């Protein structure tokens, strides 16, 4: 089959690799229908996180079941399924607690020895626990299909950030970051009943999506100017709930400084750089809470799926460019150059 591999910084290739096969009775093989490129994939692309030459990449995909192991009972050949970005066994202590990203037997797509989502097919460990079945009718509805694809990562991650920030009905929310996760956090905050949502971002095409998703205000400034702008919008107090969806020192510092005393920050931006931007003394004095981390999206899919299917939410606008599998290297370049927000990869 064909699959995307990474060989060095900025060196993405689509190559022939061995077809995935069922290796243990709990496996399934999924033929990928749609995948996408994540902003976190760019850290490997830029050489800021290490990869072995030839390693697979991609962790967001949905597709149809092609083959199942003898112990798989929850899905069968031909089913349309979505895969969260981490596989999990569903039975360990962490899984039972809902923290599937810490599964004792889990792992990430594209890790050494595993298939990546940016390929024609994927071997899925613990298929019954990992995969979620979708209505087959979605295969004929491109918009719905791409909306369902966000369940694999960005929608669940935005939801995780909103929960970590303590978004509640009537709250004022600030979202730092205008990438796909930040935009999905806006959507999640609106879904959870936030009254005012302030989106911090400089790119008009992205902030237009933020407004479509429920943002009531947009702050284009950065750094201290952004803090002043949010404070002005909130009578000098800041937001009850703040989402940090970038992962840099500056974005975290901004998040802390726009949080209202007694508020909380939900952080889901993959940390990178030499410092966190956190001042525990400031957070202590102002009673600011911090929650977040790697989102256990498998836990959230059953809650979010019905709202996509009935049209309550539509996260599909986060995809603003579409490529075929052979065009994935061009998709990486577009996202790296910020000429694309999030690239959809289609097959067939």
């Amino acid at each position: 089959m064909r699959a995307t591999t990474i060989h060095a910084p900025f060196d993405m290739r689509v190559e022939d690799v061995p077809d995935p096969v069922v290796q243990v009775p709990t496996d399934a093989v999924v033929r990928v229908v749609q995948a996408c490129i994540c902003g976190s994939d760019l850290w490997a692309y830029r050489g800021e996180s290490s990869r072995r030459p030839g390693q697979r990449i991609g962790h967001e995909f949905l597709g149809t079941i092609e083959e199942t192991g003898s112990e798989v009972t929850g899905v069968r050949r031909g089913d349309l399924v979505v895969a969260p970005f981490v596989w999990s066994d569903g039975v360990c202590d962490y899984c039972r607690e809902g923290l599937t990203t810490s599964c004792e037997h889990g792992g990430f797509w594209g890790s050494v020895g595993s298939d990546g989502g940016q390929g024609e097919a994927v071997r899925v460990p613990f298929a019954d626990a990992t995969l979620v079945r979708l209505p087959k009718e979605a295969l004929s509805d491109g918009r719905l299909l791409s909306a369902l694809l966000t369940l694999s990562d960005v929608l669940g991650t935005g939801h995780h950030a909103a929960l970590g920030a303590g978004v509640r009905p009537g709250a004022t929310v600030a979202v730092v970051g205008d990438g796909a996760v930040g935009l999905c956090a806006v959507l999640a905050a609106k879904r959870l009943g936030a009254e005012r949502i302030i989106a911090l971002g400089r790119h008009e095409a992205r902030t237009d999506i933020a407004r479509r998703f429920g943002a009531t205000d947009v702050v284009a400034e950065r750094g201290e100017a952004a803090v002043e702008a949010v404070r002005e919008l909130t009578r000098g107090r800041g937001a009850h709930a703040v989402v940090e969806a970038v992962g840099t020192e500056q974005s975290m510092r901004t998040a802390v400084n726009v949080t209202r005393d007694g508020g909380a920050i939900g952080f889901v931006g993959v940390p990178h750089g030499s410092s966190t931007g956190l001042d525990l003394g400031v957070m202590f004095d102002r009673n600011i809470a911090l929650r977040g981390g790697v989102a256990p999206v498998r836990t959230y899919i059953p809650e979010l799926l019905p709202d996509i299917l009935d049209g309550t939410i539509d996260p599909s606008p986060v995809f603003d460019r579409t490529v075929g599998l052979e065009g994935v290297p061009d998709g990486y370049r577009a996202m790296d150059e910020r000429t694309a927000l999030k690239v959809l990869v289609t097959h067939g």
Side-chain angles (χ1 to χ4, degrees):
M1 71 168 186
R2 302 285 284 172
T4 306
T5 57
I6 182 168
H7 292 261
F10 307 104
D11 184 1
M12 311 298 298
R13 306 177 195 177
V14 180
E15 302 179 304
D16 290 327
V17 301
D19 290 333
V21 296
V22 168
Q23 297 180 10
V24 297
T26 52
D27 284 351
V29 173
V30 173
R31 179 64 54 176
V32 177
V33 174
Q34 284 190 353
C36 53
I37 301 172
C38 183
S40 65
D41 291 332
L42 296 179
W43 305 127
Y45 178 70
R46 296 166 179 160
E48 296 183 38
S49 61
S50 62
R51 294 291 190 277
R52 294 184 184 178
Q55 189 171 335
R56 309 286 180 82
I57 197 167
H59 55 262
E60 301 160 284
F61 65 94
L62 55 73
T64 56
I65 300 290
E66 191 167 80
E67 183 182 2
T68 60
S70 60
E71 295 180 12
V72 176
T73 60
V75 294
R76 61 184 180 180
R77 182 179 175 86
D79 283 348
L80 178 65
V81 294
V82 64
F85 64 84
V86 171
W87 70 78
S88 53
D89 63 18
V91 297
C92 75
D93 287 348
Y94 291 115
C95 285
R96 287 198 297 266
E97 293 167 3
L99 193 61
T100 51
T101 48
S102 292
C103 175
E104 295 171 1
H105 303 105
F108 290 78
W109 312 115
S111 56
V112 175
S114 73
D115 296 315
Q118 293 161 19
E120 291 184 310
V122 178
R123 179 182 74 87
V124 177
F126 305 110
D128 279 340
T130 300
L131 299 172
V132 178
R133 190 163 46 192
L134 304 172
K136 289 184 182 179
E137 296 77 16
L139 285 168
S140 61
D141 185 336
R143 182 209 57 77
L144 175 59
L145 200 63
S146 59
L148 293 169
L149 177 60
T150 66
L151 291 167
S152 65
D153 185 349
V154 290
L155 180 59
T157 298
H159 179 68
H160 185 60
L163 292 179
V167 176
R168 62 188 185 277
T172 295
V173 179
V175 177
V176 182
D178 59 4
V181 169
L183 295 175
C184 284
V186 171
L187 192 64
K190 178 68 173 178
R191 177 181 174 274
L192 292 170
E195 180 176 323
R196 191 173 197 181
I197 303 171
I198 304 166
L200 282 72
R202 296 181 298 161
H203 302 83
E204 187 173 352
R206 300 183 181 199
T207 55
D208 284 348
I209 297 173
R211 290 188 185 278
R212 181 174 173 181
F213 281 0
T216 55
D217 303 273
V218 169
V219 169
E221 294 86 353
R222 299 184 72 181
E224 288 303 314
V227 174
E228 291 176 9
V230 173
R231 291 279 173 180
E232 184 175 347
L233 289 169
T234 57
R235 295 183 297 171
R237 295 174 180 172
H240 302 102
V242 177
V243 168
E244 193 287 310
V246 183
T248 64
E249 178 181 355
Q250 181 186 55
S251 63
M252 183 59 83
R253 184 175 290 113
T254 297
V256 172
N257 289 336
V258 300
T259 304
R260 179 187 178 107
D261 286 17
I265 299 167
F267 73 104
V268 291
V270 179
H272 54 281
S274 59
S275 181
T276 63
L278 292 173
D279 185 329
L280 294 182
V282 169
M283 297 178 69
F284 180 88
D285 289 343
R286 297 177 51 214
N287 281 282
I288 294 175
L290 179 69
R291 289 187 61 86
V294 186
V297 299
R298 177 61 182 85
T299 299
Y300 300 138
I301 291 175
E303 176 184 351
L304 298 172
L305 174 58
D307 282 3
I308 292 179
L309 294 177
D310 68 14
T312 300
I313 56 175
D314 177 15
S316 65
V318 298
F319 298 108
D320 62 346
R321 183 170 301 194
T322 301
V323 298
L325 181 58
E326 301 296 327
V328 168
D330 291 334
Y332 272 87
R333 281 191 288 273
M335 287 182 61
D336 182 52
E337 295 167 359
R338 298 184 73 83
T339 58
L341 166 59
K342 190 169 181 65
V343 174
L344 180 70
V345 182
T346 61
H347 295 256

